[in-house]
Amino acid sequence: ETGVTQTPRHLVMGMTNKKSLKCEQHLGHNAMYWYKQSAKKPLELMFVYSLEERVENNSVPSRFSPECPNSSHLFLHLHTLQPEDSALYLCASSQVGAASGANVLTFGAGSRLTVL
Amino acid sequence: GQNIDQPTEMTATEGAIVQINCTYQTSGFNGLFWYQQHAGEAPTFLSYNVLDGLEEKGRFSSFLSRSKGYSYLLLKELQMKDSASYLCAVVEGNYQLIWGAGTKLIIKP
């Protein structure tokens, strides 16, 4: 496995379900991110884990809960979601403090979530 | 407020040249990224500009003018595989990227 892998690629869930999205990076990066991508809208940063620190977008509802057990794995736990949460959820990783100065994100292919 | 503007959709012909513009108004600036995203796939890194001027990488070039809050991505010798969305993003802080909504580029034979 190389790069950033996300599972599942597709998920359909009811509003009362609990599910989790998983992300794994094989790049040795020290930061991982969750983004939400909705059609024709800008990418929305949800959560960042970098160097043991968690940074979050305060506008993200509490029905989304991240977990980062180590620098290679990232989860997004979902519960009691709403239909408007249907979107593509992208995981990314980067090397913060890289010599190039550019914090280049490497993205996974995403998990397409549909909430019924 | 913070704002990134780029055209929603553009159409170009195989073999031609196309320029995708991005204008921005942000409270901070630490660089500007361009990413390419094919339908159903991950966004992939194309370029990063932090100083004014043109950066060339093969068929793709990216230009930045910080005083004008303006960047463009120039694609030459267009190929069908260049059909994708192109995302512009401004770096505001360590982690905060302000993203445009993306430009969908359609290449016709």
Side-chain angles (χ1 to χ4, degrees):
Chain A
E1 291 278 9
T2 58
V4 179
T5 55
Q6 291 187 241
T7 53
R9 291 295 310 275
H10 299 274
L11 178 63
V12 179
M13 58 188 288
M15 289 191 286
T16 58
N17 292 157
K18 288 186 181 180
K19 297 286 183 183
S20 296
L21 306 181
K22 179 183 175 183
C23 177
E24 186 174 357
Q25 60 102 356
H26 308 270
L27 300 167
H29 286 165
N30 59 13
M32 296 188 76
Y33 309 74
W34 279 117
Y35 275 94
K36 177 182 179 182
Q37 187 174 37
S38 302
K40 298 185 179 180
K41 290 186 178 178
L43 285 174
E44 177 187 348
L45 178 64
M46 300 176 74
F47 302 102
V48 181
Y49 280 87
S50 174
L51 305 171
E52 312 296 324
E53 177 191 6
R54 172 175 145 181
V55 178
E56 58 192 272
N57 181 342
N58 291 327
S59 66
V60 175
S62 59
R63 55 186 183 268
F64 294 92
S65 174
E67 179 189 358
C68 189
N70 54 60
S71 60
S72 300
H73 294 86
L74 185 65
F75 296 89
L76 187 63
H77 303 300
L78 316 170
H79 64 98
T80 58
L81 294 192
Q82 303 298 311
E84 60 264 29
D85 297 322
S86 298
L88 181 68
Y89 289 85
L90 290 165
C91 174
S93 70
S94 73
Q95 185 64 23
V96 174
S100 68
N103 187 23
V104 178
L105 299 176
T106 301
F107 285 90
S111 293
R112 173 70 61 186
L113 174 66
T114 302
V115 181
L116 302 176
Chain B
Q2 301 175 100
N3 196 42
I4 308 276
D5 282 320
Q6 46 180 138
T8 304
E9 189 173 296
M10 299 181 70
T11 303
T13 305
E14 192 177 14
I17 298 173
V18 72
Q19 178 175 311
I20 303 173
N21 295 327
C22 172
T23 58
Y24 61 89
Q25 287 179 310
T26 56
S27 55
F29 182 85
N30 288 326
L32 186 145
F33 284 99
W34 285 97
Y35 282 80
Q36 179 190 59
Q37 186 178 23
H38 286 100
E41 297 184 14
T44 55
F45 169 75
L46 286 178
S47 68
Y48 173 71
N49 293 68
V50 65
L51 299 176
D52 290 351
L54 187 67
E55 297 270 349
E56 297 186 74
K57 246 190 227 182
R59 294 189 299 113
F60 291 14
S61 303
S62 57
F63 172 82
L64 175 67
S65 169
R66 288 172 296 171
S67 62
K68 294 182 179 178
Y70 169 68
S71 173
Y72 67 73
L73 183 69
L74 190 72
L75 292 74
K76 302 177 185 175
E77 300 168 18
L78 286 169
Q79 301 174 10
M80 297 303 293
K81 67 179 183 179
D82 297 328
S83 291
S85 288
Y86 291 85
L87 311 179
C88 171
V90 169
V91 184
E92 262 211 328
N94 285 339
Y95 315 115
Q96 185 68 346
L97 286 174
I98 309 299
W99 293 83
T103 298
K104 183 179 180 181
L105 178 63
I106 300 167
I107 309 297
K108 295 186 174 178

